[in-house]
Amino acid sequence: MTSASELTMLQAVNEALHGEMARDERVVVLGEDVARNGGVFRATEGLFEKFGEQRVVDTPLAEAGIIGSTVGLAMAGLVPVAEVQFLGFSYQAMHQIAGQVARLRYRSRGRFEPAITIRAPFGGGVRTPELHSDSLEGQLANIAGLKLVAPATAADAKGLLATSVRDPDPVIFLEPLRGYRGIRGEVPDGEHLVPLGEAREARTGDEVVIIAWSHQVELACRASDALAAEGLSVAVLDLRSLVPLDLAGIAAAVDRCGRAVVVEEAVQTGGFAGEVVATIVEECFWSLEAPIVRVSGYDAPYPVGQLEDTYVPDEARIAAAVRRVLEVA
Amino acid sequence: MTSASELTMLQAVNEALHGEMARDERVVVLGEDVARNGGVFRATEGLFEKFGEQRVVDTPLAEAGIIGSTVGLAMAGLVPVAEVQFLGFSYQAMHQIAGQVARLRYRSRGRFEPAITIRAPFGGGVRTPELHSDSLEGQLANIAGLKLVAPATAADAKGLLATSVRDPDPVIFLEPLRGYRGIRGEVPDGEHLVPLGEAREARTGDEVVIIAWSHQVELACRASDALAAEGLSVAVLDLRSLVPLDLAGIAAAVDRCGRAVVVEEAVQTGGFAGEVVATIVEECFWSLEAPIVRVSGYDAPYPVGQLEDTYVPDEARIAAAVRRVLEVA
Amino acid sequence: MARPTEDQLRAILVDMVAARTQAGRLWNLQRQGRVGTLAPIDGHEATIAATAHALDPAEDWILPQYREPLALQRFGPEVLEQYLLYNVGHPDGSRLPESVRVAPLQISLATQVPHAVGLAWGMTLRDEPGVVTVFFGDGSSSEGDVHEAMNMAGVLKAPVVFLCMNNQWAISTPLHQQTAAASLADRAVGYGIPGLSVDGTDAAAVYEVVDEARTRARSGGGPTLVEARVYRLGAHTTADDPTRYVPPEDLEAARRDDPIDRLETHLEALGLWGDEDRATVQAEALTLFDGAFERAEAWPTAPGALMDHCFAEDSQRMARQRRDLLGVAGSSGEEVR
Amino acid sequence: MARPTEDQLRAILVDMVAARTQAGRLWNLQRQGRVGTLAPIDGHEATIAATAHALDPAEDWILPQYREPLALQRFGPEVLEQYLLYNVGHPDGSRLPESVRVAPLQISLATQVPHAVGLAWGMTLRDEPGVVTVFFGDGSSSEGDVHEAMNMAGVLKAPVVFLCMNNQWAISTPLHQQTAAASLADRAVGYGIPGLSVDGTDAAAVYEVVDEARTRARSGGGPTLVEARVYRLGAHTTADDPTRYVPPEDLEAARRDDPIDRLETHLEALGLWGDEDRATVQAEALTLFDGAFERAEAWPTAPGALMDHCFAEDSQRMARQRRDLLGVAGSSGEEVR
Ligand SMILES: Cc1ncc(C[n+]2csc(CCOP(=O)(O)OP(=O)(O)O)c2C)c(N)n1
Ligand SMILES: Cc1ncc(C[n+]2csc(CCOP(=O)(O)OP(=O)(O)O)c2C)c(N)n1
Ligand SMILES: [Mg+2]
Ligand SMILES: [Mg+2]
């Protein structure tokens, strides 16, 4: 049996990076302020001291250059783990992410292995300046050739990141800003791997299933617990990875509950929640006893501090949505 | 009564640009090869000769510079109409499109008016090199602050483009490569305006509605006509604009037919068809008599020439989908 | 190229001292949790204030990065007022009145640089005489947008002053890891435009080069790249701990070149400045600040502001979202059938 | 810096003549609709072939834009074979065997330039001796990626040869509208790296500068920017009509400097080249080409190739899509429950 420690998501991410760099010397970490400073959130703390300036590199301030160079590093047989300081700045590198990283294997017909991981913090609730909190999953999921991973717990942050670094395909690894210090939990010591594409039942239940990922899982669980007090049995399905998507896991939960709420923080139109709804309709339309409700951000840019709490879905909005799908006879 | 002429979509786009530049001297056209060469497809033909090098400008080869400069031009009170030579290269400017163009009004709280239009050809079927055919609607629709217009007919190409240029908000105007010369029809002469956000019933019908936009409308209509020969009544709803989306128009069609097929050319996961399905579920779940089926590209990059026809939805795939939603008793 | 008059130098110093004083107050308010993360101005005052004084607020534009507002008094008192509103997290903090030719702060680094080219180009198309000065840091200079913009401006001969504030750091990344260039002004030749490097702690020198660049731009001579060499005397932001990476000896050396001390010494020698002047300016700066901050904290916020100005008019979906939002602000806002 | 030997010059000429000959054949095939849109090599042969001969195919890499393949014989016959497969629209056309250190063509302009930096950097991390040469055009040089890459390479001292093929045009946009720079080599100083401008129609001169840059890179001296000045003698692509914008007199002047004529004259004077040599080379080039093209046209395509190599393993959804695709390839492939 393996021992475990109580860690924050941030510590879990850091532990995974230490573990992977120690395990595989092909792993290199690059990005803005990731070396001497250990990252602006300390996610890469200690790597520079432990693995040296050759493998842990502070790059110039140039996202397209950073992501573009990971393509070349992969061609050289290395395993780059790049940090985009905030997901909103991945836009500066979108041509490299969508047109190059995502297509390196495809274009070369398997000659080059894009074992590239791009880590980026995202999501709101911590009063950041503009473009630091934006949720872009819906946009990234539409780019063929990319995997999209979004852990909700400290254990998964470690296990999914380790798996992502080892994965032969490019992975965008999303780390919730609010979870860095706000989410903590038991994390297995030593090697810990969690497969991509297997959703996790964060709460069991059979009346409604709330489907979520990343920090929204935490909120969904709180809503589920609150509703349990009212005698409602509300399941929470943590997708863990959006690409690959656990079609069977989603179908099983919806078939069982017959009612579903999908939660995300992004702009509603074109968000990934829409994809989840479409998937449910394709997978288990006949099990549906009520329309699926989306709880999301609004069709407006992620706002400044004073309006953040209005924009970001919270426990109350999620609970209200659950009640709504239950009201339908 | 106004006269009309038979034009290709390309001629219609060109006519709209001529009309808007003549009407409003604040309109400036900029992009790669748009001036002396009249655009690589001749969409801007004659503008340089007619309106001069001040208002029709060949820029350096720099998409972020082009789109970024439209923000400043708008701040100066001009009405920039920029061309991105192929939509796939809007990725190079995505940080300017999503973070700047889309937020100019929002960030300045209404001080600056982003009367910016970004035209871009897209879509497959004409054997272009990589990244020339990609459909990015699903990704662009998730960016709050952008309008997204995708005409399917020559008349709409003129009428929607003229409206887009006059619209006070940023508009991404999508022109189907296959439609440039492949789609032709009667186009009103002189001023012709089509409002944004009003879907068009391209075919009437009451058994199934095919929801589509841009070139897929053409294919959907062919499928509808073929199925009509088998005695099936299949409506085709041309969305015309994805943002703003005609919620009422979609609801009316689905309420009437009870069965729907959504067609798009993009990668399936995260494509805009998913948003349409989610919208239908929200708007008229109880009218649905069968699961909505998506006909789309695959979860792989848009392929090279020999595989194009396999990738792009065609009349046969659309018809098969219609039959499938009808099979369900 | 004109040297600043003694009156101008004194006016510049007044703005610099006021900025430094207000920056200290703002830092304390941040520590009290009353304002959000912000980037201190310390060390940058001479470059910003002298640039502002070399420009004409009635015709010229300033496109800032995020460190500049406190030293832009010359462009109007609203710059301070809105900056404080911005810092308390109010959306209207990014709105300046039509009369103030200053753009909102830019968080997405370097994206404002192409904006400057479009704005300057647009002004020439409209036969307006103004020049656009755009600020960006040494770190930002590595972004592709700066390249695309400077090259485009060279071709268009757009009246832009590209003001690269080289404070030696991009958060924890030192200049030598940012670029191998001997000087960031060396970028100019690659665009066929003039490039000048100036000691950014010397207000008079900055005024001169900006005046020269502005004069050239106004006479159709096109853009100029100005590198202002300064040193970031404070933390990158209130969220940063520079002791992790800034060599103390470098910081010490830089403090000895504090732009404010330099100009004070100069003007004291001329008998134009003394302790009382400083005391008065500091007192006035704080009075101004405290009044504006009080108004900023009291400024009302409505949940609907979330959707205001996204589009000129709400879309069908936005109208519903707004209705739900207002109906249940903060508690429930998902889309209702 | 080494001058090419006469044997090397002759070998370079052989490749240039073969390339020009095959380009003509390819153009005709395109006109017959047997291959897709392509970009002719005419006028660029000396720069490409001489560069290839200055490199070591066993250790060095070439990252092309899209005009180069026909003159890269030195890197192996597979370059031509796969290029033809690419031109008939087969996905495998972008695959070269492990032994061939040439990357797939790049359509998204300038994106290959940061790749070169990462690859060169990666090779140094792995203690491999090779140098990476990346081709990009004068138009592409305006893209932000080129700036970010050259700056990063300067800091990392990555062994890269940035080869800017300045053929005076980006489709219809002439160099003077692309940049106000006097020379694209002037960009180098802004990154603290050496910049050389060379007459790209002079094979010997190109060989020398590339050899010099390569030697420096291999000895840890870091990257070099090389501007090769040539003139695009043909259309931008088979879809382009240059008569709309290319001044005939410029084209005429350029034809007088045809790189092939230049080198032929030089080697004829040395008695190393004559009409028979040309005839033989042309004949062999066509035989090689025709054989390869026949195989390319006959190469089988399977609909499943659409999804192959997207991921190492299909996702659940992809597996279904593949099943539907194969079940109903070309006729119906929408997702089935
Ligand atoms: C495009 C982008 N990338 C990264 C960041 C995160 N970030 C904020 S400030 C900063 C350093 C900026 O350095 P510099 O341009 O020199 O300005 P300074 O802070 O030194 O004044 C970074 C990396 C950002 N805001 N935008
Ligand atoms: C990022 C991007 N923008 C635009 C295009 C469309 N395009 C293809 S070739 C070309 C001109 C390229 O000029 P240059 O780099 O000088 O290369 P050349 O064709 O002259 O060899 C353009 C604009 C593209 N392929 N990629
Ligand atoms: Mg700096
Ligand atoms: Mg060129």
Side-chain angles (χ1 to χ4, degrees):
Chain A
M1 62 141 272
T2 62
S3 61
S5 317
E6 167 98 357
L7 301 180
T8 62
M9 262 184 121
L10 187 64
Q11 292 165 323
V13 164
N14 185 256
E15 206 170 277
L17 292 172
H18 273 276
E20 291 309 296
M21 288 201 81
R23 180 189 61 81
D24 182 351
E25 63 172 18
R26 298 171 309 155
V27 176
V28 293
V29 167
L30 65 154
E32 296 157 9
D33 310 292
V34 296
R36 197 164 267 97
N37 200 33
V40 291
F41 294 102
R42 312 290 176 249
T44 54
E45 177 120 55
L47 296 175
F48 178 72
E49 294 72 10
K50 183 108 162 262
F51 302 102
E53 60 181 12
Q54 293 270 316
R55 294 180 61 197
V56 185
V57 180
D58 281 329
T59 63
L61 207 171
E63 288 76 14
I66 294 166
I67 303 304
S69 69
T70 66
V71 171
L73 286 164
M75 288 169 72
L78 294 168
V79 179
V81 178
E83 174 177 298
V84 171
Q85 208 163 68
F86 293 90
L87 185 64
F89 306 126
S90 64
Y91 277 131
Q92 265 81 353
M94 207 52 89
H95 53 297
Q96 287 288 349
I97 294 172
Q100 305 303 315
V101 169
R103 298 181 186 205
L104 181 60
R105 177 194 303 281
Y106 186 82
R107 182 177 297 129
S108 69
R109 308 308 287 168
R111 173 178 183 180
F112 301 117
E113 178 146 291
I116 298 165
T117 303
I118 300 173
R119 299 177 36 249
F122 83 119
V126 299
R127 304 282 181 269
T128 57
E130 241 199 318
L131 278 155
H132 285 58
S133 303
D134 297 47
S135 296
L136 312 184
E137 310 92 289
Q139 295 162 55
L140 293 162
N142 189 230
I143 297 168
L146 288 184
K147 289 178 178 174
L148 199 52
V149 179
T153 68
D156 278 359
K158 178 178 177 179
L160 288 169
L161 180 51
T163 305
S164 298
V165 172
R166 300 182 194 191
D167 194 274
D169 295 310
V171 176
I172 308 281
F173 191 83
L174 303 175
E175 304 169 2
L177 279 166
R178 259 178 308 179
Y180 268 159
R181 296 187 172 77
I183 294 177
R184 46 169 52 249
E186 287 284 298
V187 179
D189 299 328
E191 172 157 297
H192 172 53
L193 296 169
V194 175
L196 307 186
E198 292 184 13
R200 176 183 71 98
E201 191 157 64
R203 289 289 186 277
T204 54
D206 55 21
E207 292 180 84
V208 180
V209 58
I210 305 172
I211 299 173
W213 57 92
S214 192
H215 189 267
Q216 285 65 45
V217 172
E218 175 80 14
L219 304 176
C221 288
R222 286 193 216 138
S224 167
D225 298 344
L227 293 161
E230 304 174 18
L232 296 176
S233 169
V234 181
V236 174
L237 189 70
D238 171 5
L239 291 181
R240 279 176 157 167
S241 69
L242 309 189
V243 180
L245 186 61
D246 187 350
L247 303 178
I250 292 172
V254 177
D255 285 337
R256 191 180 66 244
C257 302
R259 297 162 196 262
V261 168
V262 186
V263 187
E264 76 174 327
E265 205 173 290
V267 164
Q268 181 177 54
T269 294
F272 193 77
E275 177 60 40
V276 174
V277 171
T279 300
I280 292 172
V281 168
E282 284 159 357
E283 299 296 316
C284 38
F285 177 78
W286 300 109
S287 310
L288 288 173
E289 293 158 27
I292 305 152
V293 168
R294 288 188 282 179
V295 180
S296 67
Y298 298 94
D299 283 11
Y302 192 92
V304 293
Q306 290 191 14
L307 296 166
E308 249 188 297
D309 298 342
T310 313
Y311 188 91
V312 178
D314 59 13
E315 187 184 324
R317 277 175 64 191
I318 297 170
V322 170
R323 290 200 189 82
R324 267 204 22 251
V325 298
L326 279 168
E327 277 159 17
V328 184
Chain B
M1 65 139 275
T2 61
S3 60
S5 317
E6 168 97 357
L7 301 180
T8 61
M9 255 181 129
L10 187 63
Q11 292 166 323
V13 164
N14 185 255
E15 207 170 275
L17 293 172
H18 273 276
E20 291 310 296
M21 289 200 81
R23 180 189 60 80
D24 182 350
E25 64 172 17
R26 298 171 310 154
V27 176
V28 293
V29 167
L30 65 155
E32 296 157 10
D33 309 291
V34 297
R36 198 165 266 98
N37 200 34
V40 290
F41 294 101
R42 312 290 175 250
T44 54
E45 177 120 54
L47 296 175
F48 178 72
E49 294 71 11
K50 184 110 161 260
F51 302 102
E53 60 180 14
Q54 294 270 314
R55 294 180 59 197
V56 185
V57 180
D58 281 328
T59 63
L61 207 172
E63 288 76 14
I66 294 166
I67 302 304
S69 69
T70 65
V71 171
L73 287 163
M75 288 168 71
L78 294 169
V79 178
V81 178
E83 175 177 297
V84 171
Q85 207 164 69
F86 293 91
L87 184 64
F89 306 126
S90 63
Y91 277 131
Q92 265 81 353
M94 206 51 89
H95 54 295
Q96 287 288 350
I97 294 172
Q100 305 303 316
V101 169
R103 297 180 186 207
L104 181 59
R105 178 193 303 280
Y106 186 81
R107 183 177 297 129
S108 69
R109 310 308 289 168
R111 174 178 182 178
F112 301 118
E113 178 146 292
I116 298 166
T117 303
I118 301 174
R119 298 177 39 248
F122 83 119
V126 298
R127 304 284 181 268
T128 57
E130 241 198 318
L131 278 155
H132 285 58
S133 303
D134 297 46
S135 296
L136 311 185
E137 309 92 290
Q139 296 162 54
L140 293 162
N142 190 229
I143 297 167
L146 288 183
K147 289 177 178 174
L148 199 52
V149 179
T153 68
D156 278 359
K158 178 178 177 178
L160 288 169
L161 180 52
T163 305
S164 298
V165 173
R166 300 182 194 192
D167 195 273
D169 295 310
V171 176
I172 309 281
F173 192 82
L174 304 175
E175 303 170 3
L177 279 166
R178 260 177 307 178
Y180 269 158
R181 296 186 172 78
I183 293 177
R184 47 170 49 251
E186 287 284 298
V187 178
D189 298 329
E191 173 159 296
H192 172 54
L193 296 169
V194 176
L196 306 187
E198 292 184 13
R200 177 184 69 100
E201 191 157 62
R203 289 291 185 276
T204 54
D206 54 22
E207 292 181 80
V208 179
V209 59
I210 305 172
I211 300 173
W213 56 91
S214 192
H215 189 267
Q216 284 66 45
V217 172
E218 175 80 12
L219 303 177
C221 288
R222 285 192 218 140
S224 168
D225 298 344
L227 292 162
E230 302 174 19
L232 296 176
S233 169
V234 181
V236 174
L237 189 70
D238 171 5
L239 290 181
R240 280 177 159 166
S241 68
L242 308 189
V243 180
L245 186 61
D246 187 351
L247 302 178
I250 292 172
V254 177
D255 285 337
R256 190 180 67 244
C257 301
R259 298 163 195 262
V261 168
V262 187
V263 186
E264 76 174 327
E265 205 174 290
V267 164
Q268 181 178 54
T269 294
F272 194 77
E275 177 60 41
V276 174
V277 171
T279 300
I280 292 171
V281 168
E282 284 159 358
E283 299 295 316
C284 38
F285 177 78
W286 300 109
S287 311
L288 289 173
E289 293 158 27
I292 304 152
V293 168
R294 288 187 282 179
V295 179
S296 67
Y298 298 94
D299 283 10
Y302 191 92
V304 293
Q306 289 190 14
L307 296 166
E308 251 190 293
D309 298 341
T310 310
Y311 188 91
V312 178
D314 59 14
E315 188 184 324
R317 277 176 62 191
I318 296 169
V322 170
R323 290 199 189 84
R324 267 203 24 249
V325 298
L326 279 168
E327 276 159 18
V328 184
Chain C
M1 101 176 180
R3 288 195 54 79
T5 64
E6 290 175 348
D7 287 358
Q8 283 176 312
L9 277 178
R10 192 179 185 288
I12 290 169
L13 178 59
V14 167
D15 289 352
M16 290 166 63
V17 171
R20 180 77 59 95
T21 311
Q22 294 169 339
R25 183 75 114 215
L26 202 50
W27 180 272
N28 296 334
L29 288 166
Q30 196 282 335
R31 286 297 181 246
Q32 296 164 30
R34 290 167 74 185
V35 301
T37 306
L38 58 92
I41 193 171
D42 309 58
H44 309 76
E45 298 91 344
T47 297
I48 302 164
T51 297
H53 280 265
L55 301 174
D56 176 354
E59 292 186 344
D60 301 328
W61 276 90
I62 285 184
L63 272 50
Q65 186 162 308
Y66 45 66
R67 234 177 254 288
E68 299 79 6
L70 291 180
L72 295 178
Q73 297 95 331
R74 177 162 162 87
F75 277 69
E78 300 90 343
V79 178
L80 169 67
E81 293 161 10
Q82 297 311 97
Y83 181 55
L84 296 185
L85 194 54
Y86 175 89
N87 280 303
V88 297
H90 196 294
D92 295 348
S94 290
R95 161 125 211 179
L96 282 162
E98 299 302 323
S99 61
V100 181
R101 298 189 157 224
V102 176
L105 301 188
Q106 185 53 259
I107 297 302
S108 183
L109 293 170
T111 56
Q112 73 278 17
V113 188
H115 303 173
V117 178
L119 176 54
W121 173 21
M123 291 198 298
T124 55
L125 288 176
R126 308 196 71 169
D127 297 315
E128 292 175 18
V131 167
V132 179
T133 297
V134 57
F135 285 90
F136 58 97
D138 49 310
S140 302
S141 75
S142 298
E143 290 281 1
D145 281 25
V146 174
H147 168 73
E148 298 189 16
M150 292 204 283
N151 185 55
M152 198 176 215
V155 174
L156 295 167
K157 284 206 164 294
V160 181
V161 180
F162 294 100
L163 208 146
C164 182
M165 177 77 78
N166 176 2
N167 65 2
Q168 315 302 321
W169 294 96
I171 306 185
S172 72
T173 308
L175 187 64
H176 67 88
Q177 280 186 278
Q178 194 63 243
T179 185
S183 162
L184 289 171
D186 289 344
R187 298 267 165 90
V189 62
Y191 309 115
I193 67 176
L196 309 166
S197 187
V198 63
D199 177 349
T201 67
D202 179 343
V206 171
Y207 181 100
E208 282 188 45
V209 297
V210 173
D211 175 74
E212 175 190 341
R214 175 171 180 273
T215 309
R216 174 170 33 247
R218 289 176 70 97
S219 57
T224 302
L225 167 59
V226 174
E227 173 197 33
R229 290 173 275 106
V230 302
Y231 199 92
R232 198 189 74 204
L233 297 178
H236 165 63
T237 64
T238 46
D240 173 52
D241 172 12
T243 63
R244 291 174 66 98
Y245 57 83
V246 172
E249 59 279 12
D250 293 12
L251 187 57
E252 260 330 297
R255 288 199 191 290
R256 272 180 248 111
D257 287 338
D258 188 312
I260 293 181
D261 300 346
R262 282 188 67 160
L263 192 50
E264 283 191 319
T265 316
H266 176 71
L267 292 176
E268 271 160 15
L270 295 168
L272 293 170
W273 187 258
D275 296 350
E276 287 152 31
D277 303 272
R278 186 186 312 107
T280 326
V281 170
Q282 290 174 332
E284 283 168 0
L286 293 179
T287 315
L288 199 67
F289 182 102
D290 295 340
F293 189 72
E294 208 172 289
R295 288 193 298 283
E297 275 191 320
W299 210 274
T301 331
L306 194 70
M307 313 209 75
D308 298 343
H309 306 299
C310 182
F311 282 147
E313 282 175 24
D314 287 353
S315 65
Q316 287 178 44
R317 175 165 282 169
M318 286 163 70
R320 293 189 190 179
Q321 291 180 347
R322 184 187 288 271
R323 200 194 57 218
D324 303 336
L325 176 65
L326 299 181
V328 287
S331 75
S332 166
E334 73 280 4
E335 172 134 15
V336 179
R337 171 66 200 268
Chain D
M1 99 178 179
R3 286 194 54 78
T5 64
E6 291 176 347
D7 287 358
Q8 283 177 311
L9 278 178
R10 192 180 185 288
I12 290 169
L13 178 59
V14 167
D15 289 352
M16 289 167 62
V17 171
R20 179 76 59 97
T21 311
Q22 294 170 339
R25 184 75 114 214
L26 201 50
W27 179 272
N28 296 334
L29 288 167
Q30 197 283 334
R31 287 297 181 246
Q32 296 165 29
R34 290 167 74 185
V35 301
T37 306
L38 59 92
I41 194 171
D42 309 56
H44 309 75
E45 297 91 343
T47 297
I48 302 165
T51 297
H53 280 264
L55 301 174
D56 177 352
E59 293 186 345
D60 302 328
W61 275 90
I62 285 183
L63 272 50
Q65 186 163 305
Y66 45 65
R67 235 176 253 288
E68 300 79 5
L70 291 179
L72 294 178
Q73 296 95 330
R74 179 163 161 87
F75 277 70
E78 300 91 343
V79 178
L80 168 67
E81 293 161 10
Q82 297 311 97
Y83 181 55
L84 296 184
L85 193 54
Y86 175 89
N87 280 302
V88 297
H90 196 294
D92 294 348
S94 291
R95 160 125 212 179
L96 282 162
E98 300 301 325
S99 60
V100 181
R101 298 186 157 228
V102 176
L105 301 188
Q106 185 54 258
I107 296 303
S108 183
L109 294 170
T111 56
Q112 74 277 17
V113 187
H115 303 172
V117 178
L119 175 54
W121 173 21
M123 291 198 298
T124 56
L125 289 177
R126 307 196 71 166
D127 298 313
E128 292 175 19
V131 166
V132 179
T133 297
V134 58
F135 285 90
F136 59 98
D138 49 309
S140 301
S141 75
S142 298
E143 289 281 2
D145 280 25
V146 174
H147 168 74
E148 299 190 16
M150 292 203 284
N151 185 56
M152 196 179 233
V155 174
L156 295 168
K157 285 205 163 295
V160 180
V161 180
F162 294 101
L163 207 146
C164 182
M165 177 78 79
N166 176 2
N167 65 2
Q168 315 302 320
W169 294 96
I171 306 185
S172 71
T173 308
L175 187 63
H176 68 86
Q177 280 186 276
Q178 194 62 244
T179 186
S183 162
L184 289 171
D186 290 344
R187 298 267 165 89
V189 62
Y191 309 115
I193 67 176
L196 309 166
S197 187
V198 63
D199 177 349
T201 67
D202 179 342
V206 171
Y207 181 100
E208 283 187 45
V209 297
V210 173
D211 175 74
E212 175 189 340
R214 175 172 180 271
T215 309
R216 177 172 30 247
R218 289 176 70 97
S219 56
T224 302
L225 168 60
V226 175
E227 174 197 36
R229 289 171 277 107
V230 302
Y231 199 92
R232 197 190 75 205
L233 297 177
H236 166 63
T237 64
T238 46
D240 174 53
D241 172 11
T243 63
R244 292 174 66 100
Y245 56 83
V246 173
E249 59 279 14
D250 294 11
L251 187 57
E252 259 330 295
R255 288 200 191 290
R256 273 181 246 110
D257 287 338
D258 188 310
I260 292 181
D261 301 346
R262 283 188 65 159
L263 192 50
E264 282 190 318
T265 316
H266 176 71
L267 291 176
E268 270 161 18
L270 295 168
L272 294 170
W273 188 259
D275 296 350
E276 286 154 32
D277 303 275
R278 185 185 314 108
T280 322
V281 170
Q282 290 175 331
E284 283 169 359
L286 292 179
T287 313
L288 199 66
F289 182 102
D290 294 341
F293 189 72
E294 209 173 288
R295 287 192 298 283
E297 276 192 319
W299 210 274
T301 330
L306 193 72
M307 313 209 76
D308 298 343
H309 307 299
C310 181
F311 282 147
E313 282 174 24
D314 287 353
S315 66
Q316 287 178 42
R317 176 164 282 169
M318 287 163 68
R320 293 187 190 183
Q321 290 180 347
R322 185 186 288 271
R323 200 195 55 220
D324 303 336
L325 177 65
L326 299 181
V328 288
S331 75
S332 167
E334 73 280 4
E335 173 135 12
V336 179
R337 171 67 201 267

